Amino acid sequence: MIQLDGICKSFGENEVLRSLDLSAKKGEMLVLLGSSGCGKTTTLSVIAGLTKEDKGDIYLEGSRINDTPPHKRGIGFVFQNYALFPHLNVYENVEFGLKAGNKRSTRGGNKTEVKRALELVGLDGFEKRNPMKLSGGEQQRVALARALATEPECILMDEPLSNLDAVVRERLRHEIAQLQRDIGLTSIYVTHDQVEAMALGDRIAVLNNGRIEEAGTPEKIFYKPEKEFVARFIGRKNIFAGRSATLDEDNGVLQISTGNFDLTTVFVPSSVGTRVKACVRPEEIILAKSDRNTIAKSARNEIAGRIVNISQNGPLMRVLVDVGGAEMSADITRLAARDLGLKGGDRVLLTFKATSVHVIL
Amino acid sequence: MSLSFRISLSLIAGIFFGFIVVVLSCLLTATSFAEFTGEIRSPEIISAILLSLETSIAVVLLALLFGIPAAYILATKRFKGKNILDTLVDIPIVLPPLVCGLAILIAFGGEGIFSRFDVLFTVKGIIIAQLFVASPFLIRSAKTAFESIDRDVMDAARTLGASEFYTLTKVSLPLARNGIASGVVMTWARALGEFGATAMVAGCIPYRTETMTVGIYMHAMSGDISASVALSLILMSFAFTTLIVFKYLGTIRDGNLGPRGAAAQ
């Protein structure tokens, strides 16, 4: 288990970490998600002891390690650029930590340990190779084997896949997830890639401006974020400010202040007039052509609007609709867009369930 | 490029190269093979050659001892006054050796701060003078080599359980080896060719403080050109060897090396 309490770190005038609290449970894969420059790498560097924190405490398995030098922390590190030793071959790279830490007698060699580590990452037989002549994916496997060979208490990975092409990245991501689960190694994985965070994390911590904005399961972070920043960061498009209007036992109605419409939600605020933010996921909206200009209120949300723009959004089409002054995005399939014959200026009806409206206090 | 321009350009360059070749060849034509072999058998010349080799090798070893830590600190650590130290290293490179010699003379002379060390007009004095003038070349070169090592590679070593010293000896030094080697070559060549500071500090005492360069000066001034020429030719052969080694090392970039034997693959 790794725990950070109130870590502060500045580089000159630049405050990178502002009282950061973080913990990774034993055997857990914690993903630190954030945009570049938010302090992700510095956080890992502080945990590993490569950067000295200005303030705060770091605990590993319950003991404070602030003053333990990096080579005695027993924390493995996998770098974005692999950071292999260019003057050593693959075997010597993996063996480096065993020799440096004097964990095994060097007389008998570390053959079994090195072999096992290379087998773990599927590079058995690569011992004599020059690491600089391997592909990016293979190099990162060597780096992984090198870190695992020392049997660290936990492992930190700093965007390990971001220099790889899409196919290799996906395969290696899958393998890292598998490996981490098999070994049960406490891991902190830094990335700016949401897909990676979603696929790998037992828990995700979203980092913003040197602080943890929100931490939770991927399910919570991606579908029910508590913070507006997180909702925006994970790409929620339809976020509306409003206040709760009428309430009944099951449903609440939110009056949206930025647009002239109401939203029905299953969220029941404690009192009328509470200021809230409402998110509607673009892919849960159903579009229909309509000439009506009325707003229906029911357990389903039905909002009329006019198409502002239609654009490509990955495999889907994103339809931007003006709804009473606010803009709402809806994602529909290409086929649906063609069948409906949608074009800019068309009047449409947006329909979505009350459960599709996520409320942020 | 027009033909006339190309011709005039080649002509000007040709004059320069021709000048160098002609001047250097004059050294060769100033002596005969018999005269040369005769001169290099003279005890004074042999003593000068040995003294030069002895002092310059001592300088290289001392420069490694003091220069590698200095270069490593300058390359990897952040501290106040680093820029001042960095500039300090360059001063002996740009300062006339005579001025360096004079400073050493005063520092180690009668009233000087180091006067209790008896180094003036001794071999120790020669070594100090040469070290002062030549060691910055090693520090410069080693520093650049250390700086070119990927910071993450050294950090990786630390997280794998290597102490800072282990990282220095097993990662940084091997990766900086070519930079250090070319620094050694430069420092050695500079020490071997040092004259001004050496003469200032150690004087020109035959058999005692007569290095090759000092010998060339003394013999030339006393009209014994053939001895000067013999010493010069030997220095020239050293210089050419140095140059070739240096150029070769320059072709291999540090931090980019393969593991042993991998270059042949």
Side-chain angles (χ1 to χ4, degrees):
Chain A
M1 154 145 181
I2 304 167
Q3 196 183 327
L4 301 184
D5 285 342
I7 298 292
C8 297
K9 177 68 194 175
S10 299
F11 293 107
E13 296 285 289
N14 185 13
E15 241 184 297
V16 180
L17 301 180
R18 305 160 193 249
S19 192
L20 177 120
D21 298 323
L22 181 71
S23 75
K25 297 183 199 99
K26 199 165 178 64
E28 169 182 71
M29 171 75 100
L30 175 74
V31 172
L32 266 184
L33 179 64
S35 48
S36 59
C38 71
K40 293 171 303 201
T41 298
T42 307
T43 306
L44 289 195
S45 191
V46 164
I47 298 172
L50 300 170
T51 298
K52 180 75 186 154
E53 65 290 340
D54 297 334
K55 239 168 80 183
D57 296 309
I58 312 155
Y59 297 94
L60 179 63
E61 308 299 340
S63 35
R64 190 173 175 276
I65 56 166
N66 287 49
D67 302 317
T68 312
H71 64 286
K72 294 199 170 134
R73 289 195 182 189
I75 297 176
F77 206 118
V78 176
F79 295 82
Q80 182 176 355
N81 63 358
Y82 327 128
L84 296 175
F85 304 122
H87 59 304
L88 303 177
N89 66 25
V90 169
Y91 180 89
E92 292 162 332
N93 261 279
V94 177
E95 194 193 26
F96 184 92
L98 299 169
K99 275 184 165 175
N102 247 335
K103 286 201 169 171
R104 307 272 188 278
S105 77
T106 42
R107 258 194 72 226
N110 304 294
K111 277 219 171 80
T112 28
E113 286 80 7
V114 175
K115 193 174 161 59
R116 199 172 53 208
L118 284 174
E119 272 169 1
L120 274 177
V121 298
L123 285 185
D124 199 16
F126 278 62
E127 284 85 347
K128 290 269 154 49
R129 302 277 286 272
N130 173 359
M132 297 298 108
K133 295 205 169 138
L134 300 179
S135 71
E138 287 165 342
Q139 290 196 34
Q140 197 56 293
R141 284 164 201 264
V142 175
L144 206 56
R146 183 177 69 170
L148 293 174
T150 61
E151 294 176 5
E153 298 273 353
C154 68
I155 193 163
L156 311 175
M157 291 180 260
D158 187 8
E159 307 224 17
L161 306 179
S162 62
N163 286 356
L164 303 173
D165 65 63
V167 178
V168 180
R169 191 186 313 154
E170 202 173 319
R171 197 171 60 214
L172 202 50
R173 181 174 75 210
H174 180 74
E175 288 181 24
I176 287 177
Q178 191 79 42
L179 202 60
Q180 191 270 337
R181 255 165 236 147
D182 289 351
I183 307 177
L185 188 59
T186 311
S187 311
I188 299 183
Y189 186 106
V190 155
T191 183
H192 63 268
D193 182 337
Q194 299 169 31
V195 181
E196 219 166 275
M198 186 90 174
L200 283 171
D202 292 320
R203 278 194 315 132
I204 296 171
V206 180
L207 198 59
N208 177 35
N209 215 358
R211 230 182 250 131
I212 298 297
E213 195 75 36
E214 187 176 345
T217 59
E219 174 75 16
K220 175 169 171 284
I221 295 292
F222 282 94
Y223 295 100
K224 295 183 163 33
E226 283 171 11
K227 296 274 183 68
E228 189 187 347
F229 171 83
V230 176
R232 288 195 189 282
F233 183 76
I234 58 170
R236 288 290 156 262
K237 280 281 172 249
N238 304 318
I239 303 177
F240 307 103
R243 55 179 72 228
S244 55
T246 55
L247 317 166
D248 64 32
E249 247 170 54
D250 303 320
N251 296 317
V253 173
L254 306 174
Q255 264 172 358
I256 300 306
S257 46
T258 48
N260 183 24
F261 60 92
D262 291 349
L263 289 176
T264 306
T265 163
V266 288
F267 164 80
V268 183
S270 49
S271 63
V272 173
T274 313
R275 289 186 168 281
V276 294
K277 295 268 167 60
C279 312
V280 184
R281 298 158 53 74
E283 65 270 31
E284 297 191 358
I285 296 173
I286 297 164
L287 271 186
K289 272 198 163 180
S290 160
D291 288 330
R292 276 194 295 157
N293 201 9
T294 52
I295 298 161
K297 285 179 191 171
S298 71
R300 289 160 71 87
N301 289 286
E302 243 180 13
I303 301 173
R306 192 184 286 273
I307 294 178
V308 178
N309 183 33
I310 302 174
S311 61
Q312 194 81 31
N313 181 34
L316 298 172
M317 302 299 286
R318 171 151 293 175
V319 184
L320 192 63
V321 184
D322 177 70
V323 283
E327 283 182 341
M328 196 179 277
S329 298
D331 285 346
I332 58 173
T333 62
R334 293 175 71 91
L335 197 64
R338 206 176 56 202
D339 287 352
L340 288 168
L342 295 180
K343 59 184 187 304
D346 281 357
R347 292 190 160 282
V348 284
L349 202 60
L350 298 100
T351 312
F352 46 96
K353 290 180 192 163
T355 48
S356 299
V357 181
H358 170 61
V359 177
I360 298 171
L361 283 174
Chain B
M1 216 191 283
S2 79
L3 188 66
S4 58
F5 178 62
R6 202 154 44 178
I7 289 174
S8 44
L9 209 61
S10 313
L11 216 62
I12 295 169
I15 291 170
F16 173 74
F17 292 123
F19 181 68
I20 293 180
V21 171
V22 169
V23 167
L24 289 179
S25 326
C26 285
L27 265 183
L28 284 169
T29 54
T31 186
S32 66
F33 185 72
E35 202 176 36
F36 175 74
T37 48
E39 284 293 348
I40 61 167
R41 285 207 200 104
S42 100
E44 193 182 336
I45 299 284
I46 291 173
S47 148
I49 294 170
L50 289 179
L51 184 63
S52 270
L53 288 177
E54 187 186 313
T55 52
S56 60
I57 288 167
V59 164
V60 164
L61 295 177
L62 286 170
L64 281 172
L65 183 67
F66 293 106
I68 296 291
Y72 181 73
I73 286 171
L74 284 176
T76 59
K77 304 286 178 201
R78 289 193 208 186
F79 54 90
K80 272 194 183 144
K82 179 170 159 175
N83 278 337
I84 298 172
L85 288 189
D86 204 54
T87 314
L88 212 60
V89 171
D90 288 333
I91 288 179
I93 296 181
V94 292
L95 213 59
L98 268 176
V99 179
C100 299
L102 185 64
I104 297 169
L105 194 63
I106 293 169
F108 286 89
E111 309 273 294
I113 185 167
F114 299 127
S115 59
R116 65 196 143 115
F117 301 105
D118 186 22
V119 302
L120 299 184
F121 307 105
T122 67
V123 173
K124 278 185 248 165
I126 299 174
I127 294 172
I128 288 171
Q130 291 180 350
L131 185 67
F132 196 89
V133 174
S135 57
F137 289 94
L138 175 68
I139 298 178
R140 262 303 112 228
S141 188
K143 179 183 168 244
T144 311
F146 283 133
E147 278 170 347
S148 73
I149 301 172
D150 183 358
R151 182 84 229 177
D152 285 348
V153 170
M154 292 198 270
D155 280 347
R158 300 302 311 280
T159 62
L160 288 165
S163 65
E164 211 174 346
F165 180 71
Y166 192 91
T167 307
L168 173 64
T169 54
K170 300 288 178 180
V171 179
S172 308
L173 283 178
L175 287 178
R177 64 189 174 200
N178 279 312
I180 293 170
S182 54
V184 161
V185 171
M186 289 292 285
T187 296
W188 181 70
R190 188 74 192 79
L192 205 62
E194 215 306 304
F195 170 69
T198 310
M200 204 75 178
V201 173
C204 311
I205 310 166
Y207 293 102
R208 279 186 49 205
T209 63
E210 185 191 337
T211 58
M212 290 167 81
T213 49
V214 168
I216 292 169
Y217 178 74
M218 275 166 56
H219 291 295
M221 289 302 109
S222 64
D224 184 3
I225 292 293
S226 64
S228 288
V229 170
L231 282 170
S232 298
L233 287 177
I234 293 166
L235 271 182
M236 240 170 86
S237 64
F238 284 155
F240 276 122
T241 316
T242 311
L243 213 58
I244 290 164
V245 172
F246 191 72
K247 290 250 167 179
Y248 169 72
L249 288 173
T251 58
I252 320 169
R253 275 191 52 213
D254 271 329
N256 238 340
L257 296 163
R260 266 160 281 146
Q265 281 175 15

